[in-house]
Amino acid sequence: MPDRPVAGEVEQRTLAEAAPEVDGLKLRGLIPYGVESHDFGGWREIIEPGALTGADLSSLIATREHDRSQLLGRYPTTMEVEDRADGFAWAVELPDSPTGHDARVAVERGDLRSTSWRMRVAKDRWQGNVRHVERIASLHDVCVTAEPAYGSARAELRAAPENPEPTGSPTPPQEAPMPEVPEGGGLLRVGDRTAAATGATPEARILDAIASVARGECRDLTRASAAPVEPDDLRTVLIQHFRERSVVVASGVPIIATDSKAVKWPMLTGDVSVAFYDELEEITESDPTLDDFEVPVKALKALVRMSSEAVEDSDPELLQVVSENINTAMVLKGDRELVAGNDLKGFPGLLNIAGTQSIAVGGALSWDHVIKAVGLLVEGNVPGPFAVLLGARPATALDLTKDADGNYLTRPEGIPPIYMTGWLPVSGGASPTTSAVVYAPGQQLAVIRRQVTVEIDRSQEFSRDAVLARGRYRLGLGVPHPQSIVKLTGITAPAIA
């Protein structure tokens, strides 16, 4: 299954365009409606007409290559926008500065021949492998760049000449050769810049920011005035790591991004009344019973200590290891809490949610127990698909089970996908036991707050010869319907070797 974006994340798109006209300083671009993108590695995208109507433009800027240091304009002072039938048009007067001059020359030469933007999608739907973006919550920035992803729009530089003279029909712009789509599709992560010399990815920006912290200084990189790291960049990196390393997210639990300390989710607690009626008989009105389900987000933190000498002598190998370690530590801790969290300062994980269904195994786990758990979910009208979280010990014991003739047993049809995890606790003693979880991932919510921070402390190098790096983010698990989880308890967990 191709890696698909999730509504709520900040996403970057880039579109190819016709060769621009250059006869002034007016730079124009268009985010097209109703145009199918190039392949993004197994899926395509269409922005529906009106998707940007009412979008938040409070932070909208125009740049070159999404580089804020190359600012070209800001809405609504030096930038104009128009939501039209064919797309969302924007125009900016290039500044009389080296940045504006360089951008004009690059567009005139054809070096910059594409328009790019970063958006946060609020609502989408999928038809096969085509994503239809129905509503965009906010537009962060637009820029001129060189990488294509859409093929039906243009960026132009134009203005009336100083001494206009009557002319005939205007000469239409000439179509430029379409650049090739980069291998793996055109989807870029937040903060990617196709032509920036440094800081090309969020990961690289984090490394640059860590390396910029001077001796004796303690700095929050997400709020520093020099070489800052955008919280959206950090959140995107974190979510990407969650997708790659979290068993819970891999099983299909959606990630919801939020700016709030808690998320309220509408929950259906009672159905409408349905009955048979005679012809022309008046139908009795009824309403479904709804309630708000609140998902609080709790703080998770990770701390990494490194030698100050190693920081000075290795550039950027150690910093890369540390940055990776911060992300990994936070993701692994978060994944553990999603599975088996029971911390008073945190939140209960899937294994410790109150009100779930359960099956007492009381011995070796068999496929019968998993099939019965699926039956309980179906009987409770829980929509699938389903998944199984299983520890390495019972999973290995299942795989080693043989029939009377010594042949390995095959997995029965209908068994949900199994995700092995080390987070399910195993009791001690001579006869250790563990638990497993059979559940509907789509009925759970993993909530991450956008304010992800990274802090570097070099204030104690003199006495301790150490540099500290700390990462923080907030995470929560929402289970509106506990009956969508079945716990299998008392499972024999013999040692693997």
Side-chain angles (χ1 to χ4, degrees):
M1 196 70 173
D3 186 17
R4 294 178 171 183
V6 178
E9 299 179 11
V10 176
E11 305 173 36
Q12 181 170 309
R13 296 292 184 271
T14 311
L15 56 92
E17 32 66 47
E21 295 176 350
V22 181
D23 61 353
L25 295 177
K26 195 81 168 185
L27 178 64
R28 300 181 184 272
L30 181 74
I31 300 175
Y33 289 153
V35 175
E36 186 170 294
S37 71
H38 292 302
D39 185 77
F40 284 142
W43 61 276
R44 297 173 181 265
E45 182 178 74
I46 297 175
I47 298 180
E48 296 294 331
L52 273 155
T53 302
D56 180 10
L57 306 179
S58 59
S59 301
L60 179 59
I61 59 175
T63 67
R64 175 177 175 176
E65 301 291 359
H66 293 290
D67 188 345
R68 289 175 177 266
S69 67
Q70 300 190 60
L71 184 65
L72 302 177
R74 181 183 296 275
Y75 177 82
T77 54
T78 55
M79 184 179 180
E80 303 172 356
V81 299
E82 182 183 4
D83 196 5
R84 308 187 317 215
D86 60 338
F88 188 85
W90 57 270
V92 60
E93 291 282 351
L94 289 176
D96 184 15
S97 66
T99 297
H101 172 75
D102 291 347
R104 181 184 65 80
V105 172
V107 173
E108 186 176 14
R109 282 160 44 100
D111 298 336
L112 299 176
R113 52 186 179 182
S114 299
T115 302
S116 181
W117 70 92
R118 296 198 306 171
M119 62 184 177
R120 178 174 289 117
V121 175
K123 183 180 179 182
D124 61 2
R125 60 183 170 85
W126 289 86
Q127 290 184 335
N129 285 329
V130 178
R131 182 199 195 193
H132 294 260
V133 177
E134 297 182 335
R135 185 164 62 87
I136 295 174
S138 56
L139 188 62
H140 290 226
D141 63 355
V142 293
C143 81
V144 285
T145 182
E147 292 291 339
Y150 283 76
S152 181
R154 62 177 180 268
E156 298 177 333
L157 269 172
R158 65 184 186 185
E162 294 181 2
N163 299 308
E165 298 178 1
T167 60
S169 300
T171 302
Q174 300 299 311
E175 188 73 24
M178 182 84 64
E180 294 295 326
V181 178
E183 183 178 354
L187 179 61
L188 304 180
R189 295 182 181 179
V190 179
D192 281 2
R193 306 186 197 98
T194 55
T198 60
T201 65
E203 292 90 341
R205 295 186 64 191
I206 294 170
L207 292 180
D208 291 343
I210 292 175
S212 71
V213 179
R215 283 179 172 271
E217 184 177 347
C218 182
R219 187 192 301 176
D220 180 349
L221 299 181
T222 52
R223 295 182 176 86
S225 59
V229 180
E230 295 182 10
D232 278 334
D233 289 355
L234 291 167
R235 182 177 58 84
T236 300
V237 172
L238 183 69
I239 289 178
Q240 200 65 30
H241 277 258
F242 252 112
R243 286 179 175 160
E244 296 168 354
R245 301 170 186 241
S246 169
V247 170
V248 174
V249 174
S251 71
V253 173
I255 297 177
I256 307 298
T258 181
D259 290 316
S260 305
K261 294 182 179 179
V263 169
K264 287 189 176 181
W265 200 260
M267 182 175 64
L268 183 68
T269 59
D271 297 327
V272 297
S273 298
V274 180
F276 290 104
Y277 289 89
D278 292 327
E279 192 71 24
L280 301 180
E281 182 180 357
E282 185 176 354
I283 302 174
T284 303
E285 293 184 5
S286 64
D287 294 318
T289 305
L290 297 172
D291 197 2
D292 284 335
F293 180 80
E294 186 171 293
V295 184
V297 288
K298 302 293 185 177
L300 278 172
K301 305 175 184 180
L303 184 67
V304 178
R305 181 186 298 272
M306 48 189 159
S307 163
S308 58
E309 181 178 354
V311 170
E312 296 294 334
D313 294 342
S314 60
D315 181 25
E317 287 79 5
L318 177 62
L319 297 183
Q320 181 140 9
V321 171
V322 170
S323 178
E324 174 77 11
N325 188 253
I326 290 174
N327 276 290
T328 300
M330 292 198 296
V331 168
L332 292 181
K333 176 63 175 177
D335 191 43
R336 180 195 179 284
E337 295 305 300
L338 292 173
V339 174
N342 199 26
D343 194 321
L344 293 177
K345 297 180 181 180
F347 54 85
L350 294 170
L351 191 62
N352 295 305
I353 295 293
T356 63
Q357 304 186 76
S358 65
I359 294 176
V361 176
L365 182 68
S366 70
W367 295 123
D368 291 352
H369 299 110
V370 178
I371 294 173
K372 289 178 181 179
V374 172
L376 287 177
L377 294 173
V378 174
E379 186 179 49
N381 294 319
V382 177
F386 307 125
V388 182
L389 295 183
L390 195 58
R393 291 190 178 192
T396 303
L398 267 178
D399 289 339
L400 290 175
T401 304
K402 301 177 182 179
D403 59 20
D405 296 326
N407 299 315
Y408 289 106
L409 298 180
T410 58
R411 182 177 300 183
E413 293 186 8
I415 295 294
I418 294 177
Y419 297 87
M420 284 200 295
T421 175
W423 305 133
L424 293 165
V426 178
S427 67
S431 302
T433 60
T434 187
S435 302
V437 179
V438 183
Y439 68 114
Q443 300 301 304
Q444 329 304 327
L445 305 169
V447 180
I448 291 182
R449 196 175 181 193
R450 301 186 198 280
Q451 284 80 352
V452 181
T453 63
V454 172
E455 298 160 291
I456 301 297
D457 183 0
R458 300 191 67 174
S459 62
Q460 303 178 28
E461 286 185 86
F462 183 80
S463 59
R464 300 186 180 181
D465 192 34
V467 178
L468 301 180
R470 180 173 71 171
R472 295 186 296 170
Y473 74 105
R474 285 174 167 80
L475 177 72
L477 174 66
V479 184
H481 303 286
Q483 294 296 303
S484 63
I485 300 173
V486 178
K487 292 186 288 189
L488 306 179
T489 62
I491 300 172
T492 302
I496 295 175

